Amino acid sequence: MTPGELRARLRPFATNDRDRDCGVRACATGVDGPQVVVKRTAEGAAASFKGIMLCGHIWSCPVCSRVLRAKRAARVEAAVKGLGGTWMLLTVTHAHRDAAGDPLKPRLAGMMRAWRKMKQGGRLQRIWQSRVSASIRTTEITTGFPNGWHPHIHALIRSHPWDSDDRRELFARWSSAIVSELGPGAAPSARRGVDLTCCFDASAAPSHYLTKMGLELTGQGKHGRAGRWSPVDLAQRAVDGEKLAASLWREYCVATKGHQAIRLDDRAQSAAEAWLESQKSDHEMGGVSSVPVEVWFHDLDMLAMQKLRNGERKHPTLLDDLLRDCEQSASPESTVREWIRYSSGWKHTDVSPCIAVQHDSHSASIGTQPAGDAG
């Protein structure tokens, strides 16, 4: 299932208007939008919508999450390369054996408070300040049975290896902070509560640490394993009709609102910006041009957008199919009009038979043009 189709199928389960309207609500009128834009370069064609609202929710939107996580992954990689040095992967978690039925929202909020408290005061604060010169944090959430919600934190830290005494202090501070915020039932185990491993040089390939942090350059989300469901799994199960998954998905959307999924500290952020700017300059100096050789626009009015939105309810891949067809079509304008007519329930009496069959199946895209436009 593509991100666009999953987004369309998740609309009935949305807990806020931004998720519900993402990709189908016009946010501009007149000459500035909404539009379908096709840009053709020597490398090929790319079609997109302009003037359409995007929710920008990295937690709950399959489309926006894919884009934002890919961008964050590139920024994380830029920070690591920009700062250089030696990095380690720190994972902290807590017990959730008796958490089945416990709501996610207070558990997630308590874990984030514990993370901040762990680094404040005492010997660990001095260790952290002397050893850690930059950090990048991601938050991951899974759920399963019989243990319920399991939020946990992955952090990349630029640091030299820690000795055994410092590791014991790290675990003690994390354990103390978690117990103070979530109670003794959440006390982390000595074996799994803190994992400080994977010491690597900045020149290493990023795949092994980006994947562990739930970040990939493709923007794909992680799937759960060993009886656990990731948010991607929950979403797919919800749209497949599982009532429990739908309830958990709504709870997840409400609980994550306002939380930062990925955070680079000031040093990592500055290094990432400097690295990306240097790469941009090198790209420009190399004479590489991404200027389109042709740009085509098609204005959409509010009625057209409403028709497309209505059509998406019975054809969840409609928006993706429309853009793909525009990329492949010699006449994108005719293609857009075909999809708008299809979305409004137009009877296809003057189009080629293959289009009519595709529309009737509600499963394939309009890859050809009306018979009168052929050739």
Side-chain angles (χ1 to χ4, degrees):
M1 190 180 301
T2 66
E5 180 180 359
L6 184 57
R7 178 180 64 181
R9 293 184 182 274
L10 281 172
R11 295 195 198 281
F13 307 100
T15 58
N16 58 80
D17 288 340
R18 289 191 66 84
D19 280 346
R20 195 173 295 111
D21 294 336
C22 181
V24 289
R25 181 177 180 179
C27 59
T29 58
V31 296
D32 294 324
Q35 295 174 324
V36 177
V37 181
V38 181
K39 296 182 179 180
R40 303 188 188 278
T41 67
E43 291 76 24
S48 62
F49 289 102
K50 300 295 182 183
I52 304 298
M53 189 200 79
L54 296 176
C55 67
H57 290 165
I58 195 171
W59 294 101
S60 57
C61 177
V63 174
C64 293
S65 179
R66 179 185 178 91
V67 173
L68 292 173
R69 287 183 183 275
K71 289 182 178 179
R72 299 294 190 277
R75 189 165 286 271
V76 169
E77 183 186 14
V80 171
K81 290 183 176 180
L83 285 168
T86 303
W87 293 75
M88 303 185 74
L89 180 63
L90 169 64
T91 299
V92 293
T93 185
H94 59 279
H96 61 112
R97 291 182 297 274
D98 302 320
D102 286 357
L104 172 61
K105 189 172 183 178
R107 181 168 288 270
L108 176 60
M111 183 190 71
M112 300 312 300
R113 290 194 300 269
W115 170 256
R116 293 188 292 270
K117 182 180 291 186
M118 177 188 75
K119 299 178 291 180
Q120 296 172 353
R123 179 168 174 258
L124 185 65
Q125 181 176 5
R126 295 190 294 272
I127 295 172
W128 194 274
Q129 290 176 343
S130 63
R131 284 187 176 275
V132 179
S133 55
S135 66
I136 302 165
R137 171 189 58 76
T138 68
T139 304
E140 185 178 0
I141 300 172
T142 60
T143 189
F145 297 96
N147 297 323
W149 291 108
H150 180 214
H152 49 286
I153 292 172
H154 301 291
L156 278 177
I157 59 174
R158 186 175 183 270
S159 172
H160 296 297
W162 292 43
D163 60 34
S164 57
D165 289 341
D166 292 343
R167 288 171 180 265
R168 282 193 291 268
E169 181 66 20
L170 176 63
F171 173 79
R173 285 290 298 175
W174 172 244
S175 180
S176 174
I178 276 290
V179 170
S180 68
E181 293 295 338
L182 296 177
S189 69
R191 186 164 66 96
R192 296 183 178 179
V194 174
D195 183 24
L196 183 60
T197 57
C198 194
C199 185
F200 63 92
D201 187 81
S203 61
S207 59
H208 65 289
Y209 61 83
L210 289 177
T211 302
K212 182 66 175 177
M213 298 178 76
L215 295 170
E216 299 178 30
L217 294 175
T218 61
Q220 296 282 5
K222 291 173 69 174
H223 287 271
R225 56 184 179 180
R228 291 178 295 180
W229 296 351
S230 73
V232 176
D233 299 324
L234 273 183
Q236 292 178 343
R237 287 173 176 264
V239 301
D240 286 341
E242 293 189 24
K243 293 183 179 180
L244 177 58
S247 176
L248 292 173
W249 172 257
R250 291 189 179 97
E251 181 183 357
Y252 164 81
C253 293
V254 171
T256 53
K257 183 179 180 180
H259 283 277
Q260 205 170 12
I262 304 150
R263 184 181 184 278
L264 285 72
D265 70 9
D266 292 342
R267 294 162 294 189
Q269 184 73 16
S270 298
E273 291 175 357
W275 174 266
L276 292 173
E277 185 63 30
S278 69
Q279 296 304 298
K280 179 181 177 181
S281 299
D282 292 344
H283 183 77
E284 292 173 348
M285 290 177 63
V288 179
S289 174
S290 59
V291 178
V293 296
E294 178 186 348
V295 181
W296 175 90
F297 298 92
H298 181 81
D299 291 326
L300 299 169
D301 57 27
M302 298 301 178
L303 179 59
M305 284 307 306
Q306 186 60 50
K307 289 179 179 179
L308 291 175
R309 180 170 189 165
N310 292 339
E312 187 195 52
R313 294 169 183 166
K314 57 183 177 180
H315 188 136
T317 63
L318 184 150
L319 299 178
D320 289 342
D321 291 342
L322 185 156
L323 294 179
R324 186 184 67 248
D325 287 352
C326 285
E327 292 172 351
Q328 299 172 354
S329 174
S331 177
E333 183 173 3
S334 298
T335 300
V336 173
R337 289 174 178 170
E338 290 295 310
W339 276 111
I340 293 172
R341 288 169 179 167
Y342 163 60
S343 301
S344 61
W346 176 62
K347 302 300 182 183
H348 307 286
T349 57
D350 60 339
V351 296
S352 64
C354 66
I355 298 178
V357 171
Q358 290 170 341
H359 284 169
D360 290 341
S361 68
H362 292 174
S363 61
S365 60
I366 304 174
T368 57
Q369 302 305 315
D373 295 341

